[in-house]
Amino acid sequence: MALKATIYKADLNIANMDVHQYGDYQLTMALHPSETVERLMVRVLAFARFASEELEFTKDLFETDEPALWEKDLTGQLVQWIEVGLPDEDKVKKAAARCKNVAVIAYGSAVAEWYKRSSKLKTLSNVQVWQLSEATTESIQQLCERTMQLQLNVMDGEWTLIGDQAQAVIEWTQLQ
């Protein structure tokens, strides 16, 4: 018998004073049996970085042709493609050809090596690569619950994610 995904819900309130973006988002995410809590919470941060009403989680690990998140316009055309982890550069290159904006949210101890080996990525002008520090991904796991109330505050480039039991300072580095 196959294991089923576990559903997580998050009420995410964003107050980004740097770009004057404020919003409340009700997120529903499926944690695939092979996925870690760390990756689930990185997907939440990916949503927060590119938040919009049209941005949505995809089937991701169930469908290998899909990213972690995407945004489509009213005609169904892809506008934003957001991948989480250390994806194959050919997958990112294909996405860059199909979509106006592509982002990779990279995390883990192998990011530097992965980025060094991903020479094709560096030639793509519509691809952003963001790295989350290991301290960030460790601390955000403490915020994870099946039902979460999360507040994200951004001011002067400093990101703080606050949950019911703890808070985490989010450290981003833009590699590309």
Side-chain angles (χ1 to χ4, degrees):
M1 185 171 142
L3 296 173
K4 292 184 179 180
T6 304
I7 302 301
Y8 284 76
K9 293 186 180 272
D11 289 330
L12 176 63
N13 176 272
I14 298 175
N16 187 334
M17 273 101 18
D18 289 355
V19 295
H20 303 288
Q21 176 198 19
Y22 308 94
D24 291 308
Y25 302 92
Q26 283 71 47
L27 309 178
T28 301
M29 301 154 293
L31 178 70
H32 188 274
S34 68
E35 186 178 21
T36 64
V37 168
E38 177 184 39
R39 187 175 189 282
L40 175 81
M41 293 304 290
V42 169
R43 287 195 290 140
V44 171
L45 289 179
F47 183 94
R49 174 155 285 285
F50 298 98
S52 77
E53 292 298 325
E54 295 79 27
L55 187 62
E56 60 187 14
F57 294 98
T58 66
K59 293 179 182 171
D60 191 15
L61 294 174
F62 293 105
E63 286 290 332
T64 57
D65 290 343
E66 294 183 1
L69 300 109
W70 63 23
E71 180 180 339
K72 294 181 178 181
D73 66 15
L74 296 174
T75 66
Q77 290 293 107
L78 283 170
V79 176
Q80 179 94 305
W81 177 287
I82 303 166
E83 193 64 66
V84 170
L86 306 176
D88 179 70
E89 65 182 331
D90 288 332
K91 182 178 181 182
V92 177
K93 188 176 177 183
K94 258 196 247 181
R98 293 176 51 195
C99 190
K100 192 167 104 175
N101 300 305
V102 176
V104 175
I105 310 299
Y107 68 96
S109 60
V111 172
E113 183 61 31
W114 167 82
Y115 189 65
K116 190 169 80 174
R117 285 185 288 111
S118 300
S119 57
K120 290 178 192 173
L121 290 185
K122 297 173 183 104
T123 66
L124 304 172
S125 61
N126 62 334
V127 174
Q128 298 177 34
V129 179
W130 293 90
Q131 179 181 6
L132 286 167
S133 71
E134 289 185 63
T136 293
T137 59
E138 284 179 28
S139 63
I140 60 174
Q141 292 178 67
Q142 307 309 310
L143 304 174
C144 188
E145 299 176 26
R146 290 285 300 275
T147 303
M148 299 174 261
Q149 301 290 324
L150 300 171
Q151 169 71 42
L152 175 67
N153 297 324
V154 181
M155 189 167 152
D156 297 329
E158 186 172 305
W159 287 51
T160 306
L161 187 62
I162 304 164
D164 290 337
Q165 307 299 322
Q167 68 180 29
V169 174
I170 311 304
E171 298 168 335
W172 295 96
T173 303
Q174 187 168 11
L175 302 177
Q176 176 174 317

